[in-house]
Amino acid sequence: KAKVAIFISGRGSNMAALLYASLLPDSTYEVCLVAANDPDAEGLTLASAEGVPTFALSHKGRTRADHDAAMEAAAKEAGAQYIVLAGYMRILSPEFVSRWQGRMLNIHPSLLPKYPGLDTHARAIEAGDSHGGVSVHLVTEELDAGEVLGSLPVAIRAGETADSLAERVRFAEHQLYPRVLSDYVSRGSDPGYLLEKVRALALSLPEAH
Ligand code: GAR
């Protein structure tokens, strides 16, 4: 099974969904670490209670580069092959992102490419959209702009508030994230898929002369 480190900043309900899904017999991944940038993140106590190694280091008083390096070292030490951001509310340095390109996923509470950034639910309601939703995407340097691996729309009801929508979107998140992660990491060990990727890359390279 592929080893994944989950980065959180708070409640960690997506982390919990990912963790319990990993215990089902057909899961293609296992959680080797839960790491947080806030030592008081609620999700940490659940992870430890379930016997998952945890790491916590506050970003306060540290440079982004130093904090990222410590988080990355913890992930590597735990043997992580993938990093999964689940409500991790820190922007990662471009160097970190490029080292994990194709091996780092994020969940974002909107139907990307709509509403990258914050306050996604309020913006969807304000715009009169029929649906909000959730997307799982690869992390690239540009915020919330990497390839979307999967998404689920969630209907916006009359009188909906950002909070009520957020709560329902979370139910959808908990279904989507484990499924997309499991599919994605299993593709990583599929020779046919890898060959396809290599071919695509070769076609996109400038001609040798
Ligand atoms: C989730 O709704 C996730 O989509 C969002 O934070 C929440 C974390 O909840 N992420 C972002 O807004 C990323 N910019 P959780 O801690 O209970 O999983």
PDB file of all heavy atoms in Angstrom, residues 58-83:
ATOM      1  N   SER A  58       4.362  24.493  15.334  1.00  0.00           N
ATOM      2  CA  SER A  58       3.727  25.763  15.007  1.00  0.00           C
ATOM      3  C   SER A  58       4.569  26.521  13.974  1.00  0.00           C
ATOM      4  O   SER A  58       5.797  26.490  14.026  1.00  0.00           O
ATOM      5  CB  SER A  58       3.576  26.609  16.271  1.00  0.00           C
ATOM      6  OG  SER A  58       3.097  27.890  15.900  1.00  0.00           O
ATOM      7  N   HIS A  59       3.870  27.187  13.058  1.00  0.00           N
ATOM      8  CA  HIS A  59       4.586  27.990  12.051  1.00  0.00           C
ATOM      9  C   HIS A  59       4.956  29.344  12.631  1.00  0.00           C
ATOM     10  O   HIS A  59       5.725  30.090  12.032  1.00  0.00           O
ATOM     11  CB  HIS A  59       3.696  28.179  10.814  1.00  0.00           C
ATOM     12  CG  HIS A  59       2.393  28.848  11.150  1.00  0.00           C
ATOM     13  ND1 HIS A  59       1.307  28.132  11.612  1.00  0.00           N
ATOM     14  CD2 HIS A  59       2.020  30.144  11.135  1.00  0.00           C
ATOM     15  CE1 HIS A  59       0.314  28.973  11.861  1.00  0.00           C
ATOM     16  NE2 HIS A  59       0.721  30.199  11.581  1.00  0.00           N
ATOM     17  N   LYS A  60       4.395  29.660  13.813  1.00  0.00           N
ATOM     18  CA  LYS A  60       4.618  30.998  14.374  1.00  0.00           C
ATOM     19  C   LYS A  60       6.074  31.170  14.774  1.00  0.00           C
ATOM     20  O   LYS A  60       6.663  30.282  15.399  1.00  0.00           O
ATOM     21  CB  LYS A  60       3.701  31.219  15.583  1.00  0.00           C
ATOM     22  CG  LYS A  60       2.256  31.359  15.151  1.00  0.00           C
ATOM     23  CD  LYS A  60       1.345  31.637  16.319  1.00  0.00           C
ATOM     24  CE  LYS A  60      -0.109  31.548  15.848  1.00  0.00           C
ATOM     25  NZ  LYS A  60      -0.986  31.060  16.898  1.00  0.00           N
ATOM     26  N   GLY A  61       6.647  32.312  14.382  1.00  0.00           N
ATOM     27  CA  GLY A  61       8.031  32.599  14.726  1.00  0.00           C
ATOM     28  C   GLY A  61       9.038  31.842  13.869  1.00  0.00           C
ATOM     29  O   GLY A  61      10.222  31.818  14.177  1.00  0.00           O
ATOM     30  N   ARG A  62       8.558  31.175  12.802  1.00  0.00           N
ATOM     31  CA  ARG A  62       9.486  30.484  11.898  1.00  0.00           C
ATOM     32  C   ARG A  62       9.282  30.999  10.482  1.00  0.00           C
ATOM     33  O   ARG A  62       8.171  31.403  10.125  1.00  0.00           O
ATOM     34  CB  ARG A  62       9.216  28.975  11.884  1.00  0.00           C
ATOM     35  CG  ARG A  62       9.567  28.322  13.169  1.00  0.00           C
ATOM     36  CD  ARG A  62       9.445  26.807  13.119  1.00  0.00           C
ATOM     37  NE  ARG A  62      10.018  26.262  14.335  1.00  0.00           N
ATOM     38  CZ  ARG A  62       9.381  26.235  15.511  1.00  0.00           C
ATOM     39  NH1 ARG A  62       8.154  26.672  15.612  1.00  0.00           N
ATOM     40  NH2 ARG A  62       9.987  25.760  16.572  1.00  0.00           N
ATOM     41  N   THR A  63      10.338  30.959   9.685  1.00  0.00           N
ATOM     42  CA  THR A  63      10.161  31.342   8.288  1.00  0.00           C
ATOM     43  C   THR A  63       9.384  30.227   7.594  1.00  0.00           C
ATOM     44  O   THR A  63       9.371  29.079   8.059  1.00  0.00           O
ATOM     45  CB  THR A  63      11.512  31.499   7.561  1.00  0.00           C
ATOM     46  OG1 THR A  63      12.145  30.212   7.539  1.00  0.00           O
ATOM     47  CG2 THR A  63      12.409  32.514   8.252  1.00  0.00           C
ATOM     48  N   ARG A  64       8.751  30.576   6.463  1.00  0.00           N
ATOM     49  CA  ARG A  64       8.012  29.567   5.702  1.00  0.00           C
ATOM     50  C   ARG A  64       8.950  28.428   5.312  1.00  0.00           C
ATOM     51  O   ARG A  64       8.615  27.248   5.425  1.00  0.00           O
ATOM     52  CB  ARG A  64       7.386  30.197   4.452  1.00  0.00           C
ATOM     53  CG  ARG A  64       6.425  29.263   3.733  1.00  0.00           C
ATOM     54  CD  ARG A  64       5.765  29.938   2.549  1.00  0.00           C
ATOM     55  NE  ARG A  64       4.998  31.111   2.901  1.00  0.00           N
ATOM     56  CZ  ARG A  64       3.778  31.104   3.454  1.00  0.00           C
ATOM     57  NH1 ARG A  64       3.176  29.967   3.711  1.00  0.00           N
ATOM     58  NH2 ARG A  64       3.151  32.215   3.742  1.00  0.00           N
ATOM     59  N   ALA A  65      10.159  28.792   4.866  1.00  0.00           N
ATOM     60  CA  ALA A  65      11.108  27.768   4.400  1.00  0.00           C
ATOM     61  C   ALA A  65      11.461  26.808   5.541  1.00  0.00           C
ATOM     62  O   ALA A  65      11.492  25.587   5.345  1.00  0.00           O
ATOM     63  CB  ALA A  65      12.357  28.427   3.845  1.00  0.00           C
ATOM     64  N   ASP A  66      11.716  27.360   6.738  1.00  0.00           N
ATOM     65  CA  ASP A  66      12.091  26.501   7.865  1.00  0.00           C
ATOM     66  C   ASP A  66      10.936  25.598   8.293  1.00  0.00           C
ATOM     67  O   ASP A  66      11.122  24.412   8.572  1.00  0.00           O
ATOM     68  CB  ASP A  66      12.504  27.349   9.088  1.00  0.00           C
ATOM     69  CG  ASP A  66      13.906  27.896   8.917  1.00  0.00           C
ATOM     70  OD1 ASP A  66      14.569  27.531   7.917  1.00  0.00           O
ATOM     71  OD2 ASP A  66      14.329  28.707   9.772  1.00  0.00           O
ATOM     72  N   HIS A  67       9.741  26.200   8.339  1.00  0.00           N
ATOM     73  CA  HIS A  67       8.595  25.400   8.775  1.00  0.00           C
ATOM     74  C   HIS A  67       8.295  24.295   7.769  1.00  0.00           C
ATOM     75  O   HIS A  67       8.096  23.132   8.138  1.00  0.00           O
ATOM     76  CB  HIS A  67       7.361  26.296   8.989  1.00  0.00           C
ATOM     77  CG  HIS A  67       6.211  25.535   9.552  1.00  0.00           C
ATOM     78  ND1 HIS A  67       5.167  25.089   8.783  1.00  0.00           N
ATOM     79  CD2 HIS A  67       5.971  25.089  10.816  1.00  0.00           C
ATOM     80  CE1 HIS A  67       4.320  24.415   9.557  1.00  0.00           C
ATOM     81  NE2 HIS A  67       4.787  24.413  10.781  1.00  0.00           N
ATOM     82  N   ASP A  68       8.315  24.649   6.488  1.00  0.00           N
ATOM     83  CA  ASP A  68       8.084  23.647   5.435  1.00  0.00           C
ATOM     84  C   ASP A  68       9.109  22.524   5.526  1.00  0.00           C
ATOM     85  O   ASP A  68       8.781  21.344   5.376  1.00  0.00           O
ATOM     86  CB  ASP A  68       8.204  24.289   4.045  1.00  0.00           C
ATOM     87  CG  ASP A  68       6.958  25.077   3.674  1.00  0.00           C
ATOM     88  OD1 ASP A  68       6.029  25.155   4.502  1.00  0.00           O
ATOM     89  OD2 ASP A  68       6.935  25.615   2.552  1.00  0.00           O
ATOM     90  N   ALA A  69      10.372  22.902   5.761  1.00  0.00           N
ATOM     91  CA  ALA A  69      11.445  21.900   5.794  1.00  0.00           C
ATOM     92  C   ALA A  69      11.201  20.915   6.933  1.00  0.00           C
ATOM     93  O   ALA A  69      11.397  19.701   6.762  1.00  0.00           O
ATOM     94  CB  ALA A  69      12.803  22.581   5.967  1.00  0.00           C
ATOM     95  N   ALA A  70      10.737  21.415   8.074  1.00  0.00           N
ATOM     96  CA  ALA A  70      10.481  20.524   9.215  1.00  0.00           C
ATOM     97  C   ALA A  70       9.295  19.597   8.920  1.00  0.00           C
ATOM     98  O   ALA A  70       9.331  18.404   9.250  1.00  0.00           O
ATOM     99  CB  ALA A  70      10.215  21.348  10.465  1.00  0.00           C
ATOM    100  N   MET A  71       8.256  20.141   8.288  1.00  0.00           N
ATOM    101  CA  MET A  71       7.084  19.314   7.942  1.00  0.00           C
ATOM    102  C   MET A  71       7.492  18.239   6.925  1.00  0.00           C
ATOM    103  O   MET A  71       7.095  17.079   7.024  1.00  0.00           O
ATOM    104  CB  MET A  71       5.971  20.181   7.335  1.00  0.00           C
ATOM    105  CG  MET A  71       5.347  21.202   8.264  1.00  0.00           C
ATOM    106  SD  MET A  71       4.300  20.513   9.573  1.00  0.00           S
ATOM    107  CE  MET A  71       2.851  19.954   8.674  1.00  0.00           C
ATOM    108  N   GLU A  72       8.306  18.650   5.964  1.00  0.00           N
ATOM    109  CA  GLU A  72       8.726  17.714   4.916  1.00  0.00           C
ATOM    110  C   GLU A  72       9.614  16.610   5.506  1.00  0.00           C
ATOM    111  O   GLU A  72       9.476  15.434   5.157  1.00  0.00           O
ATOM    112  CB  GLU A  72       9.484  18.467   3.814  1.00  0.00           C
ATOM    113  CG  GLU A  72       9.825  17.581   2.643  1.00  0.00           C
ATOM    114  CD  GLU A  72      10.480  18.340   1.493  1.00  0.00           C
ATOM    115  OE1 GLU A  72      10.906  19.492   1.703  1.00  0.00           O
ATOM    116  OE2 GLU A  72      10.568  17.755   0.398  1.00  0.00           O
ATOM    117  N   ALA A  73      10.514  17.015   6.413  1.00  0.00           N
ATOM    118  CA  ALA A  73      11.406  16.030   7.040  1.00  0.00           C
ATOM    119  C   ALA A  73      10.582  14.994   7.807  1.00  0.00           C
ATOM    120  O   ALA A  73      10.863  13.792   7.746  1.00  0.00           O
ATOM    121  CB  ALA A  73      12.393  16.728   7.966  1.00  0.00           C
ATOM    122  N   ALA A  74       9.546  15.456   8.497  1.00  0.00           N
ATOM    123  CA  ALA A  74       8.699  14.530   9.268  1.00  0.00           C
ATOM    124  C   ALA A  74       7.996  13.552   8.313  1.00  0.00           C
ATOM    125  O   ALA A  74       7.911  12.353   8.590  1.00  0.00           O
ATOM    126  CB  ALA A  74       7.679  15.309  10.084  1.00  0.00           C
ATOM    127  N   ALA A  75       7.514  14.079   7.181  1.00  0.00           N
ATOM    128  CA  ALA A  75       6.820  13.220   6.205  1.00  0.00           C
ATOM    129  C   ALA A  75       7.782  12.168   5.644  1.00  0.00           C
ATOM    130  O   ALA A  75       7.452  10.982   5.546  1.00  0.00           O
ATOM    131  CB  ALA A  75       6.229  14.064   5.082  1.00  0.00           C
ATOM    132  N   LYS A  76       8.980  12.611   5.307  1.00  0.00           N
ATOM    133  CA  LYS A  76       9.972  11.681   4.733  1.00  0.00           C
ATOM    134  C   LYS A  76      10.378  10.616   5.748  1.00  0.00           C
ATOM    135  O   LYS A  76      10.488   9.438   5.419  1.00  0.00           O
ATOM    136  CB  LYS A  76      11.206  12.455   4.290  1.00  0.00           C
ATOM    137  CG  LYS A  76      11.033  13.135   2.949  1.00  0.00           C
ATOM    138  CD  LYS A  76      12.350  13.688   2.520  1.00  0.00           C
ATOM    139  CE  LYS A  76      12.351  14.136   1.079  1.00  0.00           C
ATOM    140  NZ  LYS A  76      13.526  14.995   0.823  1.00  0.00           N
ATOM    141  N   GLU A  77      10.634  11.075   6.963  1.00  0.00           N
ATOM    142  CA  GLU A  77      11.010  10.164   8.047  1.00  0.00           C
ATOM    143  C   GLU A  77       9.964   9.062   8.218  1.00  0.00           C
ATOM    144  O   GLU A  77      10.292   7.918   8.503  1.00  0.00           O
ATOM    145  CB  GLU A  77      11.093  10.987   9.335  1.00  0.00           C
ATOM    146  CG  GLU A  77      11.463  10.203  10.547  1.00  0.00           C
ATOM    147  CD  GLU A  77      12.851  10.602  11.047  1.00  0.00           C
ATOM    148  OE1 GLU A  77      13.662  11.080  10.237  1.00  0.00           O
ATOM    149  OE2 GLU A  77      13.082  10.460  12.228  1.00  0.00           O
ATOM    150  N   ALA A  78       8.699   9.444   8.039  1.00  0.00           N
ATOM    151  CA  ALA A  78       7.606   8.473   8.197  1.00  0.00           C
ATOM    152  C   ALA A  78       7.467   7.587   6.955  1.00  0.00           C
ATOM    153  O   ALA A  78       6.633   6.689   6.913  1.00  0.00           O
ATOM    154  CB  ALA A  78       6.304   9.208   8.476  1.00  0.00           C
ATOM    155  N   GLY A  79       8.264   7.877   5.926  1.00  0.00           N
ATOM    156  CA  GLY A  79       8.235   7.051   4.712  1.00  0.00           C
ATOM    157  C   GLY A  79       7.146   7.443   3.733  1.00  0.00           C
ATOM    158  O   GLY A  79       6.763   6.643   2.868  1.00  0.00           O
ATOM    159  N   ALA A  80       6.644   8.684   3.840  1.00  0.00           N
ATOM    160  CA  ALA A  80       5.523   9.090   2.979  1.00  0.00           C
ATOM    161  C   ALA A  80       5.922   9.109   1.500  1.00  0.00           C
ATOM    162  O   ALA A  80       6.980   9.619   1.144  1.00  0.00           O
ATOM    163  CB  ALA A  80       5.025  10.470   3.396  1.00  0.00           C
ATOM    164  N   GLN A  81       5.044   8.556   0.676  1.00  0.00           N
ATOM    165  CA  GLN A  81       5.222   8.640  -0.789  1.00  0.00           C
ATOM    166  C   GLN A  81       4.311   9.719  -1.359  1.00  0.00           C
ATOM    167  O   GLN A  81       4.525  10.191  -2.472  1.00  0.00           O
ATOM    168  CB  GLN A  81       4.877   7.283  -1.410  1.00  0.00           C
ATOM    169  CG  GLN A  81       5.798   6.180  -0.955  1.00  0.00           C
ATOM    170  CD  GLN A  81       5.186   4.804  -1.197  1.00  0.00           C
ATOM    171  OE1 GLN A  81       4.237   4.393  -0.538  1.00  0.00           O
ATOM    172  NE2 GLN A  81       5.731   4.112  -2.179  1.00  0.00           N
ATOM    173  N   TYR A  82       3.286  10.069  -0.602  1.00  0.00           N
ATOM    174  CA  TYR A  82       2.348  11.117  -1.014  1.00  0.00           C
ATOM    175  C   TYR A  82       2.080  12.027   0.187  1.00  0.00           C
ATOM    176  O   TYR A  82       2.095  11.552   1.327  1.00  0.00           O
ATOM    177  CB  TYR A  82       1.005  10.526  -1.461  1.00  0.00           C
ATOM    178  CG  TYR A  82       1.112   9.671  -2.699  1.00  0.00           C
ATOM    179  CD1 TYR A  82       1.439   8.314  -2.600  1.00  0.00           C
ATOM    180  CD2 TYR A  82       0.912  10.212  -3.961  1.00  0.00           C
ATOM    181  CE1 TYR A  82       1.565   7.524  -3.741  1.00  0.00           C
ATOM    182  CE2 TYR A  82       1.019   9.430  -5.104  1.00  0.00           C
ATOM    183  CZ  TYR A  82       1.354   8.085  -4.986  1.00  0.00           C
ATOM    184  OH  TYR A  82       1.466   7.326  -6.112  1.00  0.00           O
ATOM    185  N   ILE A  83       1.840  13.304  -0.100  1.00  0.00           N
ATOM    186  CA  ILE A  83       1.381  14.226   0.942  1.00  0.00           C
ATOM    187  C   ILE A  83      -0.039  14.652   0.583  1.00  0.00           C
ATOM    188  O   ILE A  83      -0.315  15.036  -0.568  1.00  0.00           O
ATOM    189  CB  ILE A  83       2.319  15.447   1.072  1.00  0.00           C
ATOM    190  CG1 ILE A  83       3.658  14.994   1.670  1.00  0.00           C
ATOM    191  CG2 ILE A  83       1.681  16.521   1.971  1.00  0.00           C
ATOM    192  CD1 ILE A  83       4.685  16.109   1.820  1.00  0.00           C
TER     193      ILE A  83
END
